[in-house]
Every structure is written in C-alpha cells, then in structure tokens.
Amino acid sequence: MADPYHNNIYHQGDGDSYRTYGQGGQDSYGYQTDYPPQEEDAASDATEGHDEEDQMYEGEYQGIPHPDEVKAARRAARAKARTVADGVSDQEELAEQYEDIMEDCGHGKFQWTLFVVLGLALMADSVECFVVALVLPSAEKDMCLSHAEKGMLGLIVFLGMMFGAFIWGGLADKVGRRKCLIIVLAMNCISAFFSSFAQGYGFFLFFRLFSGIGIGGSVPIVYSYFSEFLQMDKRGEHLSWLCMFWMMGGIYASSIAWGIIPRYGWGFSMGTEFQFHSWRVFVLVCALPAIAAFVGLLFMPESPRFLLENAKHDEAWMILKQVHDTNWRAKGEPERVFTVTQIKTPKTQEDEFIEIQTATGTAFQRWVVRTLTLTKLVMKNVLSLFGHDLRLATLLMAIIWFTMAFSFYGLSVWFPDMIKHLQHEEYESKLKVFHREKVEQFHFNFSLENQVHKEGEYINDKFINIEMKSVKFEDSLFVDCFFENIRSTETIFENCTIRSTVFYDTDLYEEKFIDCTFENVTFLHNKKGCHLDYEEENDVLVYLVSFLGCLAVLPGNIISALFMDKIGRIKIIGGSMLISAGCTFFLFLSFSQAAIIAWQCLFCGVSVAAWNGIQVITVELYPASKRATAFGVLNAICKLAAILGSSIFASFVGITKVIPILLSFSALVGGGVLALKLPETRKKVLL
C-alpha cells in the first residue's frame, strides 16, 4: 500500500488523478520541494520500522471511513461539479486548489493558536464598545460633563469605529491582513494609555475617537484573516466559536469595572490639576487584550491566500508548509510530507504597485504617490462591491447588517436607560417637601437629600461639612448664614434672597443660583473641578446589567456554533432574527428592573445566533480580493445603525415603550425575511 502523502498526485475515489502539482505551466507557479522523490517501494526515514500494510485504521471495525477517504470523496464531488459547469475561472480553480491544500494541512495546533490570538483582538473590540458606558458615571463627575458632552462621548467611539472599519477593511485587502491588524491594535493601545491620563474633556474625546478608528478595523480583518486558514467543513463552526470572544470581552470589561472603579483609593493625584482616579486605572486595564493580541500577532504569519492574490507565491508556499508541518507534528505524525510543488496563478493578477516602488523623487513625493495610489485601489475595490456579480448580495447584506444593528444596539441602550428611569421614578416618589419652614441659629451637620424647600427662612444658620444631593431651595430667604465644605449634586437655589452670607470651600457655583438676589454675599476658596462619591454615584446595577447581558449570549453562541454547519447559515440568521422580533413584545411587560434585566438576557441570548451567522456568511460571499473590504463596508453600516438606533431609542425613554418596540420588531422581521433570500454558503469553497 503506497503512502499517498509521499506522492505528488492527488487521487480521486475512482483512481483518476485529481490534480498534478509537479508540472509547470504558463498560469502556474512551481516550487522545488524540500523532500527528494522516493521510489514506490522506498521507506521514509521518519517511518522506518513501520509496515504500512500491518497498520489498521481503528475506525474500520466500526464502519467509520478513513479521513483520507472522506477527503478524496469531497474532492471527487467538487471535481464532478466542475465538469458539470460550463467553465471554471482562474479564481475558482485557485479556490479549489487552496481548499485541497488546507485539507491536507489539517486543522490543529496552528489554527488553535491563531484562534486565541485573533480572539483577543476581537475581545479588544468588544471592550472598546463597553468602556465609555462603564466609566461615564465617574468621568462625568471627574470632568464636569454636561448632558450634551456625555452624549457626544458615548457616540464618538462608534463614529470612530465606523470610519475605522471602512478604512482598515479596504487596506487589509491591499496591504495585508496581519500588517493592518497589528497597526489597529497598536493604535488602540496607545490611545487607551493617553486617554487614561487626559485631564480635559477635549483630549479624552480625541483619544477615544482615535482608539475607535483603530480598533474599528479589527472585526473585518479578524474574520477575513481566520477564515483563510480554515477548510470548508470547519469554517462555520470555528468562526462561530471565535464570536464567543466578543462575549468574553463584555464580561471582562464589566467584571473589572465592577472590581476597580468603586475602589476610590486605587488612584492618585498630583496637586489639584492632575487627578488619576480609579476609573482611569480601569481604562488602562481595558487595553490588556489588545496588548496580548498585538504581541501574539508578531509570531503569526500573513494569510497565504492574501499572498497568493498578490502574486507572492514563495511566501505563501512557505506559510502553508509551516501550517502543515505544525499541525501534523502536534498530532504525532511528523512523517507527513507537504507535497505541494505548484500553485495556480490567477491570470488577472497585476503588479499594481510597480509605479510606486521606484526611487524617483523625494521621500515625501514617493509617499504622496503611494498614498494616492493606494487610496484609488481601495476605492476601486469598494465600488466593485456594487458591480453586476455582487450588487444583489451587497444590497441584501447591507440591509441585514443595518436592521440587526439598529435593533440590537438601540435596545442595548434602551434597557439600561429604562432601568435608570425606573430608579429615578422610585427616587422621586420618596421626595420630601418642606413648606414655609423657619429655622434660626441651627447647625446643619447632616446631609440633605431628595428634598424641596419652598418659601423657607434661614436665619443665622450654619451648613458645615455636609453633602447636598437633589436639593432645591425655592423662594427662600438666607440671612447671616455660613456654608463651609459643601459638596453638592443636582442642587439649585431658585428665586432666593441671600443676605450677609459666606460660602467657604464649597462647590456652589453661579450656575446653581437661578434668579437669586445677593446682598453682601462672599464666596471664598470655591472647590475646583467636580468631586466623586463612589458609594453614591456608582451603582453596582450598572455593572451587573452589562455582565448579565454578556453572559446571556453564551447558550446562543454554543448552539449556533454546533449547528452552523449542520442546518446552514441562512436558517440560523433568519430564524434568530424572527425569534428575536417575537421577544421584543415581552418588553411591554417590563414594569420592574428585574423584568427588564430578564428580557434583556432573553433578547441577547437569542439574537447572538444571528450575529454569528451574519459574520460567517459575510466572509463566504465575497472573493479573497474583496473579502475584508466588503466586511469593512458592512461593518461601517453596522456602526452607523448603532449610532442611529441608540440615539432614537434613548429619546423615547420615559415617554413611551410602543415606538422602540415597534421599531425593533419591524427591523428584525424585515431583516430576517431578507436573510432567507441569501444563497447558502456552507458547502462553498472560499473564492
């Protein structure tokens, strides 16, 4: 029995040769193998002492076909399909050959190592989506943010990620998956470091935008990169397992936020101008997944499929051999030989960068020419997505991405905002109103909270070392009073008369006095900046909601990964979106905080299967030369939908539930129905 891995010819089940790699041709690229040709009856040094005819495949007794027989059958089926077709393009021939090579390389140690590294990059993207929402309750106090500034800070990250997905997705198809991913992770790490030390709102906003532009490119690159190291029968399942890292990123962010931000003592200060509170420590720690992925990528190779598309055959061959040898050595079969000696070359391949590699002109001129050329190539690639062959697929995918993101991110904002609204209603129901009280020569040494004082008179009173939270003095009179070391939140004086009164070391600024009359009033040593009360301002419910929402997607992730290759991408996407639409009607029953958390967990757990299917089918619908570009464009549309959804849904909190529920239901039903019109790709080789 001859060892099929020591021959340069692949065999079909009927004995005919499937493809010969040892012969050259005008549209092929040949290689000199590292291994000398062997005679039919010669034995390899690595297998010396083994009689192949005496070896028995252990599954033979159970009627289980040998893996080599399964591969041969799949190749025979694909060869038969090609003979039925009118003709096979160079792109399809390369795709078939690449699939055969990946089958011979197997799935093992190399893919699992890359899986972890790219998973950490995906975690970094997830953390970036959560970090601003988790630090905002503290950052708004530390930097004295207005409601408009808080809203802009929440949207700026998604805005940056939208541009980042578009830019880096396009560049990854021209510059390389690995190179672009290293750059975006470096941008995220640098931005996280500087934003944690930024004391002003403007600098913090800029660095979060820069971070979003960087990490926004990770999702399109990660899925395109990993898919090109997977064989067809492993692709759907393992891309779905990769999606679990997004869930792990959310759990990581909410867990460390819960553990770090409430620890006020974990910060330090340098005078009054530089404050480094614990929420800034949290921002730094959030960069750890990106740092780990960055280091891991330094030891990973470029995608060989990208290299083949760009006529870098020698590099691609070496990487494929590395994958093959790494996997089979780890499986205890180092004698397996990488037999590929020739790889198909696409006839349409052109050296597009030849004009910018010359040493003419200054360095700046060469950089300008290179940048302009690269921009033209990227934009040409983007426009090709709307060509005759891909127009319908791109339009359907754009609508599906938009409707899914609009509903998911809109409800992701609506859930916590509704919880805050219910908390506020409960808080207001406990409001204490004091009418026409008269207090003379009294020392207020206790905090005032959730109170309204109307038409009161305060004569010769002292307010010392106290906190005022949600306190309003209306139409009141203060005479000969003394305020010292006052810390206030949502406290105002409206239409009050204040005479012969001293405010010493307080944060009662001018904007807190509305239409008030001052007579002989002194303000001394006002507090600078805003001051945090971590026990009051950082409700653990903020972290708990994020944690449970991320954890709830675990069952959906597992189910979608196990069934992605069994029932297909289309049924997963359509079924998940339609079931998620039905779940939105449970939101009419959200009368308590516990109910809202429960419906959030249900919605997230069901909808995650659709997300996994959408990401898998996106990499499978487009050829290698356009894969990352298409993913980047669609992911940019996703982020645009996230911005619109979160803004629109948040505006109806406390007003009505009907509109957000109907909007999410309509979007999910429309997207789910359109998803059923997509072509199934689970048995399709990557073009």
Side-chain angles (χ1 to χ4, degrees):
M1 176 178 177
D3 185 356
Y5 294 94
H6 287 78
N7 296 326
N8 283 340
I9 300 178
Y10 291 105
H11 294 282
Q12 296 181 8
D14 58 0
D16 297 333
S17 63
Y18 176 74
R19 180 179 287 114
T20 301
Y21 292 113
Q23 299 175 356
Q26 62 179 357
D27 57 352
S28 301
Y29 199 93
Y31 302 95
Q32 181 64 44
T33 179
D34 292 345
Y35 306 96
Q38 298 187 17
E39 299 294 334
E40 183 79 20
D41 56 349
S44 170
D45 293 338
T47 59
E48 186 176 358
H50 293 271
D51 189 349
E52 294 181 355
E53 294 183 359
D54 293 338
Q55 295 180 3
M56 183 68 71
Y57 171 56
E58 60 183 9
E60 185 172 337
Y61 291 111
Q62 305 171 10
I64 301 174
H66 194 280
D68 292 342
E69 296 176 2
V70 175
K71 286 194 296 184
R74 283 200 296 262
R75 292 175 180 177
R78 291 200 295 268
K80 184 177 180 181
R82 287 198 303 272
T83 58
V84 174
D86 295 337
V88 179
S89 66
D90 291 339
Q91 188 181 58
E92 292 172 334
E93 190 172 346
L94 173 60
E96 293 282 355
Q97 183 182 5
Y98 191 81
E99 178 65 25
D100 294 345
I101 296 172
M102 292 312 303
E103 286 181 354
D104 286 338
C105 290
H107 189 94
K109 179 181 177 181
F110 181 89
Q111 280 85 357
W112 286 114
T113 304
L114 185 64
F115 173 81
V116 173
V117 173
L118 296 182
L120 290 169
L122 204 56
M123 273 186 69
D125 177 86
S126 174
V127 169
E128 189 67 24
C129 293
F130 285 92
V131 64
V132 170
L134 293 171
V135 304
L136 203 53
S138 301
E140 68 172 310
K141 298 296 179 184
D142 198 10
M143 294 190 286
C144 306
L145 302 182
S146 65
H147 288 292
E149 289 173 333
K150 287 190 295 182
M152 177 56 69
L153 190 57
L155 294 178
I156 199 68
V157 174
F158 283 102
L159 190 64
M161 294 174 82
M162 180 180 72
F163 286 109
F166 181 86
I167 294 169
W168 294 110
L171 289 175
D173 278 333
K174 295 301 177 184
V175 178
R177 281 85 159 104
R178 176 180 175 270
K179 183 183 294 185
C180 287
L181 190 54
I182 287 175
I183 294 173
V184 302
L185 291 172
M187 289 176 64
N188 181 249
C189 296
I190 294 171
S191 301
F193 176 81
F194 283 109
S195 64
S196 67
F197 287 93
Q199 296 296 299
Y201 170 75
F203 282 110
F204 186 78
L205 190 72
F206 170 77
F207 287 122
R208 295 323 299 178
L209 173 65
F210 190 71
S211 177
I213 293 175
I215 203 63
S218 63
V219 172
I221 300 172
V222 162
Y223 285 100
S224 302
Y225 190 10
F226 192 51
S227 68
E228 292 169 352
F229 283 98
L230 297 173
Q231 58 199 65
M232 183 173 62
D233 61 327
K234 301 284 187 182
R235 196 167 58 229
E237 178 184 352
H238 288 273
L239 285 174
S240 298
W241 289 127
L242 186 67
C243 297
M244 291 188 66
F245 278 93
W246 208 92
M247 172 201 73
M248 293 168 61
I251 293 175
Y252 171 80
S254 55
S255 299
I256 62 173
W258 199 342
I260 293 177
I261 295 179
R263 307 298 189 269
Y264 182 76
W266 285 22
F268 64 90
S269 61
M270 299 174 63
T272 58
E273 299 299 326
F274 185 85
Q275 304 287 330
F276 196 88
H277 294 129
S278 56
W279 69 267
R280 298 180 182 274
V281 178
F282 165 72
V283 173
L284 273 180
V285 176
C286 281
L288 291 180
I291 295 173
F294 176 84
V295 174
L297 272 174
L298 297 178
F299 300 94
M300 292 289 107
E302 180 57 85
S303 164
R305 186 58 193 274
F306 165 79
L307 295 173
L308 289 173
E309 291 290 333
N310 289 271
K312 298 180 180 179
H313 304 84
D314 292 336
E315 295 176 49
W317 186 87
M318 291 298 295
I319 293 170
L320 289 169
K321 183 178 183 300
Q322 175 190 349
V323 175
H324 177 279
D325 295 347
T326 300
N327 287 341
W328 289 113
R329 277 198 302 267
K331 294 177 181 180
E333 299 184 47
E335 68 276 8
R336 295 238 185 181
V337 178
F338 185 62
T339 57
V340 176
T341 57
Q342 187 171 311
I343 301 178
K344 181 72 180 178
T345 304
K347 290 182 179 179
T348 57
Q349 185 66 50
E350 298 176 359
D351 190 1
E352 296 171 316
F353 292 97
I354 188 170
E355 63 177 279
I356 60 173
Q357 300 297 332
T358 60
T360 58
T362 64
F364 177 74
Q365 289 174 330
R366 291 195 299 273
W367 177 84
V368 170
V369 172
R370 186 179 295 111
T371 302
L372 291 175
T373 304
L374 191 57
T375 302
K376 291 178 182 178
L377 291 174
V378 170
M379 294 308 300
K380 180 181 178 182
N381 223 19
V382 171
L383 294 176
S384 69
L385 300 178
F386 301 93
H388 176 71
D389 295 337
L390 298 173
R391 185 186 304 130
L392 180 60
T394 301
L395 180 61
L396 289 175
M397 289 304 301
I399 296 173
I400 293 168
W401 272 92
F402 185 91
T403 54
M404 187 66 205
F406 181 81
S407 301
F408 180 83
Y409 286 103
L411 289 177
S412 295
V413 170
W414 188 81
F415 285 128
D417 281 359
M418 274 299 296
I419 292 175
K420 293 177 183 177
H421 175 70
L422 292 177
Q423 288 178 326
H424 184 68
E425 284 187 336
E426 182 181 358
Y427 187 75
E428 284 191 334
S429 67
K430 300 176 182 179
L431 178 68
K432 298 178 181 178
V433 180
F434 299 88
H435 191 68
R436 292 186 177 180
E437 62 176 351
K438 187 173 183 178
V439 182
E440 295 186 35
Q441 297 183 346
F442 185 79
H443 184 186
F444 288 86
N445 57 2
F446 51 86
S447 295
L448 306 178
E449 181 177 356
N450 199 20
Q451 300 176 2
V452 175
H453 300 262
K454 295 183 177 180
E455 300 180 9
E457 293 184 11
Y458 305 90
I459 312 299
N460 199 20
D461 295 326
K462 294 182 179 180
F463 300 80
I464 300 176
N465 297 328
I466 66 173
E467 295 180 5
M468 296 181 178
K469 182 179 180 181
S470 300
V471 178
K472 181 180 181 181
F473 293 95
E474 185 177 344
D475 299 317
S476 298
L477 174 66
F478 294 85
V479 180
D480 293 324
C481 293
F482 183 74
F483 292 80
E484 181 180 359
N485 192 21
I486 306 297
R487 297 170 61 188
S488 64
T489 303
E490 298 179 359
T491 296
I492 61 172
F493 297 76
E494 184 175 349
N495 199 29
C496 295
T497 300
I498 305 173
R499 299 172 184 164
S500 304
T501 297
V502 176
F503 293 88
Y504 182 86
D505 191 25
T506 72
D507 61 1
L508 300 174
Y509 310 119
E510 281 189 24
E511 60 268 18
K512 296 190 176 184
F513 297 90
I514 302 173
D515 297 327
C516 293
T517 302
F518 295 96
E519 299 178 11
N520 194 26
V521 176
T522 305
F523 290 88
L524 298 174
H525 302 287
N526 282 349
K527 293 182 183 293
K528 294 183 178 180
C530 299
H531 303 276
L532 296 169
D533 181 358
Y534 280 87
E535 293 181 358
E536 297 282 344
E537 300 297 337
N538 291 283
D539 193 337
V540 296
L541 197 60
V542 175
Y543 314 121
L544 181 62
V545 169
S546 297
F547 179 84
L548 293 178
C550 294
L551 190 62
V553 307
L554 179 60
N557 263 319
I558 295 174
I559 293 172
S560 64
L562 295 177
F563 290 95
M564 188 67 71
D565 286 321
K566 292 181 173 62
I567 67 175
R569 289 79 162 118
I570 304 307
K571 293 179 181 178
I572 290 282
I573 299 171
S576 175
M577 292 185 73
L578 293 176
I579 296 173
S580 299
C583 292
T584 59
F585 280 100
F586 287 110
L587 301 180
F588 283 114
L589 305 177
S590 54
F591 300 114
S592 66
Q593 297 178 35
I596 291 177
I597 294 175
W599 304 138
Q600 177 189 17
C601 292
L602 176 63
F603 177 79
C604 292
V606 173
S607 61
V608 69
W611 276 121
N612 293 356
I614 289 170
Q615 288 159 344
V616 170
I617 200 172
T618 300
V619 301
E620 294 176 334
L621 280 175
Y622 296 92
S625 60
K626 300 175 176 62
R627 184 168 295 124
T629 301
F631 209 123
V633 170
L634 295 172
N635 200 251
I637 293 173
C638 166
K639 295 303 185 288
L640 174 62
I643 293 172
L644 295 176
S646 57
S647 302
I648 293 172
F649 280 53
S651 65
F652 290 102
V653 173
I655 300 175
T656 179
K657 299 177 186 176
V658 176
I659 294 180
I661 292 174
L662 290 180
L663 284 175
S664 57
F665 175 81
S666 302
L668 288 169
V669 169
V673 171
L674 285 177
L676 300 176
K677 302 292 184 181
L678 290 170
E680 182 56 71
T681 56
R682 59 175 167 159
K683 294 183 179 180
K684 176 185 174 184
V685 297
L686 282 181
L687 293 178

